[in-house]
């Protein structure tokens, strides 16, 4: 058994290993283009803070951030609405084949995302939603993981409260909206947090479904710093640091919801 000092040292090493890529990204963002490869330095000799405004004006990142915010907000709204309704149905409504349908939903989580990219693209292209907010958002409005999360939480809500509402004459929707949903606020907050982060860092689907610079999101904009003949690593790292800041701040103030999400996954 490790003593307290040994555990602290082990945790410190683990944290350092996790933080190293982000620290390297921040250091590289302050270097010159030639300094990245020629000097062999870990830290910049003279920090070039001008890399940040130059990187963010080299492409229309204000528009990219707006698109990412619209995309993430719409995804959060859609996933919270669909996951809470479906999760409550799977937890409380006894309909024929409920458990089989739920297992069918869960089985889709084993399908790699890249496999369904092309079918999704062909569907969006067929209805003319390529390079639009509708095409960007519509395929991300349902989260099977979110349905599972909400179903697990609703199963922990005491039935007595719902039964009391039914005795008072409340219908199924009223029970869901006025009793079950308010009690599920911690799970809803967890779902919204994970949905926002997943949408903010989404690259493959926005890269596939958007074509114009006006519809790009932040992740696609950062990837666009790669060109055929040259890669400007300081600019790309500077844009990456700015893009990760909202997620870092979000995590800083909502850590307990991350832990709560892990706990809820184990509830049966």
């Amino acid at each position: 058994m490790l003593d307290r000092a040994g555990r602290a040292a082990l945790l410190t090493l683990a944290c350092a290993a996790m933080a190293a890529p982000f620290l390297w990204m921040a250091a590289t963002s302050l270097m010159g283009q030639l300094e990245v490869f020629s000097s062999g330095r870990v830290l910049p000799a003279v920090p070039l803070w001008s890399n940040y405004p130059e990187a963010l004006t080299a492409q229309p990142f204000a528009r990219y951030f707006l698109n990412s915010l619209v995309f993430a907000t719409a995804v959060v709204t859609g996933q919270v609405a669909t996951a809470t309704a479906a999760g409550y149905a799977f937890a409380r409504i006894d309909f024929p084949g409920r458990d089989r349908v739920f297992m069918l939903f869960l089985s889709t989580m084993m399908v790699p995302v890249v496999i369904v990219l092309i079918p999704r693209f062909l569907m969006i292209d067929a209805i003319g939603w390529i390079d639009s907010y509708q095409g960007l958002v519509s395929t991300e409005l349902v989260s099977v993981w979110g349905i599972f999360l909400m179903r697990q939480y609703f199963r922990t809500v005491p039935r007595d409260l719902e039964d009391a509402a039914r005795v008072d004459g409340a219908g199924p929707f009223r029970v869901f909206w006025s009793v079950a949903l308010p009690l599920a606020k911690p799970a809803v907050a967890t779902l919204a947090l994970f949905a926002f982060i997943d949408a903010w860092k989404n690259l493959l689907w926005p890269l596939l479904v958007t074509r114009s610079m006006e519809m790009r999101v932040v992740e696609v904009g950062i990837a666009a710093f790669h060109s055929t003949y040259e890669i400007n690593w300081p600019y790309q790292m500077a844009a990456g640091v700015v893009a990760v800041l909202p997620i870092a701040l979000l995590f800083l103030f909502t850590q307990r919801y991350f832990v709560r999400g892990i706990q809820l996954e184990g509830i049966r």
Side-chain angles (χ1 to χ4, degrees):
M1 296 288 293
L2 292 174
D3 57 12
R4 180 175 299 180
R7 289 195 297 269
L10 187 61
L11 289 174
T12 301
L13 289 175
C15 292
M18 294 291 293
F22 298 99
L23 297 177
W24 176 84
M25 179 174 67
T28 304
S29 69
L30 297 173
M31 293 183 180
Q33 177 73 334
L34 297 178
E35 187 180 7
V36 174
F37 299 103
S38 61
S39 66
R41 300 175 60 91
V42 176
L43 298 176
V46 179
L48 298 178
W49 296 102
S50 60
N51 284 348
Y52 282 86
E54 290 173 3
L56 296 178
T57 54
Q59 295 191 55
F61 269 95
R63 177 70 184 190
Y64 297 167
F65 275 96
L66 175 62
N67 291 339
S68 288
L69 183 61
V70 171
F71 178 46
T73 302
V75 168
V76 169
T77 303
Q79 290 192 10
V80 167
T82 56
T84 52
Y88 183 78
F90 283 125
R92 287 290 193 258
I93 301 177
D94 188 13
F95 56 89
R98 182 188 66 178
D99 294 337
R100 291 187 178 88
V101 173
F102 181 65
M103 292 304 298
L104 181 62
F105 266 73
L106 289 184
S107 66
T108 62
M109 296 178 68
M110 296 185 293
V111 180
V113 175
V114 293
I115 292 179
V116 298
L117 279 179
I118 301 303
R120 286 164 59 183
F121 175 81
L122 294 176
M123 291 172 59
I124 296 301
D125 186 42
I127 57 180
W129 283 358
I130 295 296
D131 204 37
S132 67
Y133 283 123
Q134 303 96 298
L136 191 62
V137 171
S138 58
T139 62
E140 308 293 326
L141 297 180
V142 177
S143 168
V144 176
W145 177 85
I147 294 172
F148 172 72
L149 178 73
M150 295 308 304
R151 183 249 191 188
Q152 299 298 86
Y153 190 87
F154 281 127
R155 286 167 62 92
T156 67
V157 176
R159 288 181 178 269
D160 295 344
L161 299 174
E162 299 176 22
D163 293 338
R166 293 189 183 95
V167 170
D168 290 338
F173 180 78
R174 186 69 175 179
V175 171
F176 165 71
W177 184 259
S178 300
V179 179
L181 195 57
L183 293 174
K185 285 182 180 179
V188 172
T190 301
L191 172 61
L193 177 63
F194 277 83
F196 183 89
I197 293 174
D198 187 62
W200 186 269
K201 65 183 181 65
N202 198 332
L203 170 65
L204 285 178
W205 178 243
L207 181 64
L208 187 64
V209 80
T210 59
R211 294 174 179 172
S212 64
M213 294 187 67
E214 289 74 18
M215 288 304 303
R216 284 179 177 173
V217 297
V218 171
E219 293 293 330
V220 178
I222 294 174
F225 274 113
H226 285 266
S227 65
T228 305
Y229 303 104
E230 183 182 6
I231 302 175
N232 193 318
W233 286 112
Y235 280 15
Q236 190 171 32
M237 295 300 105
V241 169
V242 176
V244 83
L245 281 178
I247 302 300
L249 293 174
L250 193 63
F251 176 77
L252 183 63
F253 292 104
T254 58
Q255 295 180 49
R256 62 191 181 98
Y257 291 113
F258 280 93
V259 177
R260 185 58 175 162
I262 296 172
Q263 293 174 338
L264 290 174
E265 289 184 356
I267 299 175
R268 297 187 181 276

